Amino acid sequence: MTYFKLTGALLATTVLGTAAFAQELTIESWRNDDLTLWQDKIIPAFEASHPGITVTFSPSAPAEYNAVLNSKLDAGSAGDLITCRPFDASLALYDAGQLASLNDLPNMANFSDVAKSAWTTDDGSATFCVPMASVIHGFIYNKDAFAEVGVEVPTTEAEFFDVLEKIKADGNYIPMAMGTNDQWEAATMGYNNIGPNYWKGEEGRLALIAGEQKLTDAPWVAPFEQLAKWKDYLGDGFEAQTYPDSQNIFTLARAAIYPAGSWEITGFNAQADFEMGAFKPPVPNAGDECYISDHTDIAMGLNAASPNAEAARTFLDWMGTEEFATIYANALPGFFSLSKFDIAMEDPLAQEFVSWRGECNSTIRSTYQILSRGTPNLENETWNASAQVIKGAESPADAAKRLEDGLASWYAPHM
Amino acid sequence: MAERRQIRWHIVVFLTPAVLVYTAIMIFPLFNTLRLALYTEVGQMREFVGLQNFRTLFGDPRWSDSFWNALGNNFWFFIIHMLVQNPIGVLLAAILSHPKLRFSALYRSAIFIPTILSFVIVGFAWKLILSPIWGIAPGMLDAVGLKFLYAPWLGKEEYALTTLALVSVWQFVGIPMMLIYAALLTIPEEIIEAGECDGLTGWAAFWKIKLPLILPSIGIISILTFVGNFNAFDLIYAAQGALAGPDYSTDILGTFMYRTFFGFQLQLGDPHMGSAIATAMFAIILIGVCIYLFGIQTRMRRYQF
């Protein structure tokens, strides 16, 4: 921490020395893992081509980001640039007049409508954040472990559990590294990872929003039934295992499979000294069409109250260029650019993940758009339900019913 | 001729700084919180709604279930402290005050040290000790052949709260011990000796002479424990996060209030509902303290030496 403060101070003094009237921009973000990347690569690249503007990246803890950001915006002390969560959380900020419309940014044309959908109003009239990246769900596995046990990458549900069973019987590895202590992994890397294959991606997601399908319907209960079977293949005491515990267990080669999001790639590359591969969520039956969660996850918007709006717009417009997309995608393999440019990525694991876009149908996480606007918040409830189902504390049918009841209590199409 | 009473300015002068500071950082925020509980936010405007927030808190099952769950957990947290921390504190004090005990200063310091540690350190250290993956608890139990007793305590709904309460007891057992120890030291030797002449020794002397004399201290400790427990937050937050998992089984009023007031993860903060919960906490603690002050303390017998 002191190190960063020191470099920050040093940077500030050098900058102040050269350009006395520099406009200073501050970025709010939950990506504290990316601090060095922003300081060493992205910001210098921007400042080199835009003298007179200096940028500071000032992240807060992911779990507290939304709350901290809201208080800062209300108090008028938030930074100029706001990292946007997808869908409802950011839409609420735009509706409250705290994010500015970015329709007039020239480089906004470099993004497809699908890419922009997570940060556009329901009527499509305004886009308020520049899309940065999406993340893809799947499973990362330890290639050495698979070779040792003698199993192949599974493609169907039956093969998946067969592999888990063999790794368990072999006894050298924990079959799967996941815990339920922090709850969100169970929903994000569990339910929303394997789910799209059952509810058929966009088709099911849109039907759920329209009220044509219920969470108690078979396609929505099936992922819970799968999760209930995971219990036997998680490590001892998984109930108290936290997210960092799971990451460490996998990168220390104590577990063979890690239910993942592609954002893990950077960290895993740095930590693990064995070869990793990735496989997509297994389909129920051989030959079924596959669906993956390719979730529009992160974007950047403009604080409507920013005193440096012009400089901030310059920065946001630069984020729509190929230069930014290339730096970002290669510095953070696993965060896949949403722009129309064809970006060459070097990381093999990232290439593996992104190749699924060509083989499968993409969808986004089912709970994010519209369904998490009310109280109870469906996404939060899904965390709890998924964790309970994995622990065996609640049956899949009961969990689904609880979610549906909660949704029906405020969402008209489900009433 | 009646002397005109002078206004004693020095009293005002001496009191002012304390009153000002106390008003600014305690009384004003307290009353402002109570006031905030009567408002809500509609659109971007703050609007007066009277007791509507309390009606939601106690009337809407989604809120009231969380509230009663947190309150129940809080009582359990308090009961564990009363049943474990305070008796152990008294016992340790009784042992420490025994004149023949050697190294008593060492024991006293060792038992008191956890009290001065930060909650964050205690929460993190115990989380590591009890961790099924990196912790030393499973290994130690294995070494004495009791591995079957091990469970991921912090991850099981049925044990997590009790485990955290015991961690808190471990941290704070030094406080009742010190207070009782001090009370025991004030008991004059003559009374003990007089008791010995009447045939009261050892445990009988403790029960019949010392315990009645330290009862007022035990009363004070109980009320301090009550206030401390119902304001607790840090340890649960440090060990389990604001979601107070698993499945809200370690949720106490402090974490419930924090989650509501400041928001957590995707849940956005609602200062007005948060203030309503804070007001309820204030009322609970106030009632508890009043019961003690008027119901118990006034009836307690005091002995003059």
Side-chain angles (χ1 to χ4, degrees):
Chain A
M1 221 44 210
T2 348
Y3 166 74
F4 291 131
K5 273 190 196 147
L6 190 62
T7 35
L10 285 175
L11 272 176
T13 45
T14 46
V15 167
L16 282 174
T18 49
F21 301 104
Q23 280 193 285
E24 288 180 25
L25 297 176
T26 307
I27 301 175
E28 299 282 349
S29 175
W30 69 88
R31 292 291 310 166
N32 46 13
D33 291 353
D34 303 347
L35 185 66
T36 40
L37 155 75
W38 280 87
Q39 284 179 337
D40 296 349
K41 292 190 177 158
I42 301 177
I43 294 176
F46 173 76
E47 287 177 346
S49 55
H50 297 81
I53 304 179
T54 61
V55 186
T56 313
F57 185 71
S58 121
S60 34
E64 268 128 49
Y65 177 70
N66 294 30
V68 168
L69 177 66
N70 277 284
S71 329
K72 279 187 175 176
L73 284 169
D74 287 340
S77 60
D80 310 279
L81 296 159
I82 310 288
T83 309
C84 302
R85 297 274 193 193
F87 296 107
D88 297 346
S90 294
L91 182 62
L93 295 181
Y94 175 75
D95 286 340
Q98 288 170 322
L99 287 178
S101 167
L102 298 175
N103 282 348
D104 51 348
L105 280 190
N107 281 336
M108 205 54 130
N110 294 334
F111 300 95
S112 70
D113 285 345
V114 178
K116 287 188 283 193
S117 67
W119 300 282
T120 302
T121 49
D122 291 353
D123 59 5
S125 65
T127 302
F128 42 84
C129 297
V130 180
M132 287 166 71
S134 70
V135 292
I136 299 178
H137 284 301
F139 295 83
I140 298 179
Y141 68 97
N142 180 335
K143 281 193 175 171
D144 298 349
F146 269 43
E148 236 173 81
V149 181
V151 287
E152 296 289 319
V153 166
T155 54
T156 64
E157 209 183 282
E159 284 174 18
F160 180 63
F161 284 104
D162 187 46
V163 166
L164 289 173
E165 193 55 54
K166 280 185 180 146
I167 299 170
K168 192 179 179 183
D170 180 74
N172 273 328
Y173 294 91
I174 299 167
M176 196 148 51
M178 190 165 92
T180 56
N181 188 75
D182 297 349
Q183 304 188 14
W184 67 269
E185 303 110 288
T188 310
M189 275 108 108
Y191 191 72
N192 268 312
N193 180 359
I194 61 170
N197 275 326
Y198 299 89
W199 61 70
K200 307 222 174 299
E202 286 294 277
E203 190 188 320
R205 189 180 75 85
L206 296 173
L208 186 70
I209 291 173
E212 291 153 17
Q213 289 186 14
K214 304 259 182 257
L215 287 164
T216 43
D217 292 350
W220 297 91
V221 183
F224 278 135
E225 281 160 0
Q226 295 297 311
L227 289 185
K229 288 197 265 177
W230 284 18
K231 183 177 192 242
D232 301 336
Y233 306 105
L234 304 178
D236 269 349
F238 69 88
E239 293 96 335
Q241 185 175 325
T242 63
Y243 173 53
D245 284 343
S246 308
Q247 290 175 313
N248 285 323
I249 287 178
F250 181 73
T251 52
L252 291 171
R254 282 170 61 174
I257 300 176
Y258 181 90
S262 56
W263 66 85
E264 305 281 11
I265 293 175
T266 324
F268 281 9
N269 279 341
Q271 299 285 332
D273 51 7
F274 49 86
E275 210 185 331
M276 289 175 290
F279 61 88
K280 49 185 181 274
V283 292
N285 299 302
D288 282 357
E289 214 173 332
C290 62
Y291 297 84
I292 53 164
S293 168
D294 183 359
H295 189 66
T296 46
D297 191 52
I298 181 168
M300 187 80 79
L302 168 62
N303 180 356
S306 164
N308 307 311
E310 206 180 313
R313 278 178 189 274
T314 311
F315 186 84
L316 288 168
D317 199 42
W318 179 75
M319 288 180 70
T321 61
E322 188 163 4
E323 184 190 5
F324 173 82
T326 312
I327 299 175
Y328 193 75
N330 277 301
L332 275 183
F335 282 87
F336 303 111
S337 172
L338 287 163
S339 62
K340 288 176 177 167
F341 307 111
D342 192 16
I343 313 246
M345 275 188 304
E346 283 145 24
D347 187 84
L349 205 53
Q351 283 172 352
E352 174 74 48
F353 268 97
V354 87
S355 72
W356 303 338
R357 277 182 179 167
E359 303 160 23
C360 304
N361 305 295
S362 295
T363 181
I364 59 172
R365 291 181 203 150
S366 60
T367 48
Y368 270 64
Q369 190 176 25
I370 299 173
L371 302 181
S372 288
R373 269 178 207 177
T375 310
N377 177 313
L378 181 63
E379 169 68 7
N380 269 2
E381 295 283 295
T382 305
W383 294 5
N384 183 290
S386 307
Q388 291 291 88
V389 166
I390 291 182
K391 281 193 288 188
E394 195 171 19
S395 78
D398 289 348
K401 177 154 188 330
R402 181 157 66 89
L403 294 183
E404 179 63 31
D405 289 349
L407 186 61
S409 72
W410 61 269
Y411 186 56
H414 278 253
M415 279 176 188
Chain B
M1 209 170 116
E3 227 175 297
R4 268 189 64 196
R5 285 189 67 178
Q6 291 241 309
I7 302 174
R8 285 183 275 181
W9 285 108
H10 62 278
I11 294 182
V12 179
V13 170
F14 284 131
L15 275 180
T16 311
V19 169
L20 281 183
V21 170
Y22 192 72
T23 309
I25 65 173
M26 293 293 295
I27 300 182
F28 173 70
L30 176 64
F31 281 94
N32 209 23
T33 307
L34 301 186
R35 188 180 67 88
L36 209 54
L38 303 177
Y39 288 80
T40 193
E41 199 166 286
V42 181
Q44 294 294 298
M45 302 295 292
R46 183 177 287 177
E47 212 170 80
F48 183 80
V49 289
L51 296 175
Q52 184 57 45
N53 287 336
F54 294 96
R55 240 168 270 150
T56 313
L57 183 60
F58 297 109
D60 181 339
R62 293 194 180 280
W63 285 99
S64 64
D65 286 356
S66 304
F67 180 80
W68 296 122
N69 172 46
L71 186 64
N73 288 341
N74 226 146
F75 267 108
W76 180 243
F77 199 67
F78 173 60
I79 289 169
I80 297 270
H81 279 80
M82 285 303 282
L83 290 183
V84 182
Q85 174 187 292
N86 297 346
I88 291 183
V90 174
L91 185 71
L92 287 173
I95 296 172
L96 278 181
S97 66
H98 197 277
K100 286 188 189 139
L101 181 76
R102 290 199 288 169
F103 311 121
S104 69
L106 174 72
Y107 295 135
R108 206 170 56 208
S109 316
I111 295 169
F112 194 71
I113 278 177
T115 313
I116 58 173
L117 290 178
S118 150
F119 278 106
V120 181
I121 296 171
V122 172
F124 188 67
W126 275 98
K127 215 174 150 174
L128 274 183
I129 292 170
L130 297 176
S131 162
I133 302 141
W134 331 104
I136 53 166
M140 282 171 74
L141 282 176
D142 202 19
V144 291
L146 293 173
K147 181 77 197 287
F148 66 93
L149 282 180
Y150 180 78
W153 289 299
L154 286 176
K156 293 271 195 188
E157 270 172 61
E158 51 275 43
Y159 309 126
L161 182 64
T162 312
T163 309
L164 284 172
L166 291 175
V167 169
S168 172
V169 165
W170 171 84
Q171 186 182 5
F172 284 117
V173 73
I175 299 232
M177 180 193 81
M178 284 308 227
L179 288 171
I180 301 288
Y181 182 61
L184 284 173
L185 290 187
T186 61
I187 298 175
E189 274 300 305
E190 296 85 45
I191 296 183
I192 313 277
E193 280 163 13
E196 273 172 17
C197 294
D198 291 337
L200 283 178
T201 53
W203 276 112
F206 178 79
W207 287 112
K208 298 250 165 74
I209 303 174
K210 292 182 180 171
L211 195 63
L213 290 174
I214 58 172
L215 262 185
S217 299
I218 293 180
I220 290 288
I221 289 162
S222 307
I223 201 67
L224 284 179
T225 310
F226 176 77
V227 175
N229 285 165
F230 277 82
N231 275 327
F233 160 74
D234 333 45
L235 181 69
I236 310 274
Y237 183 74
Q240 305 289 64
L243 282 182
D247 197 23
Y248 302 112
S249 62
T250 54
D251 199 19
I252 57 174
L253 291 169
T255 45
F256 180 47
M257 199 275 293
Y258 175 88
R259 230 180 22 247
T260 312
F261 198 107
F262 298 102
F264 191 70
Q265 296 276 23
L266 299 172
Q267 181 183 346
L268 295 180
D270 181 346
H272 305 100
M273 279 308 284
S275 301
I277 298 169
T279 307
M281 285 169 74
F282 177 66
I284 291 167
I285 293 173
L286 195 67
I287 293 170
V289 174
C290 286
I291 291 176
Y292 169 76
L293 281 182
F294 300 115
I296 299 175
Q297 204 185 29
T298 48
R299 285 182 205 167
M300 216 174 255
R301 291 170 69 184
R302 279 186 176 63
Y303 303 89
Q304 294 281 335
F305 307 130

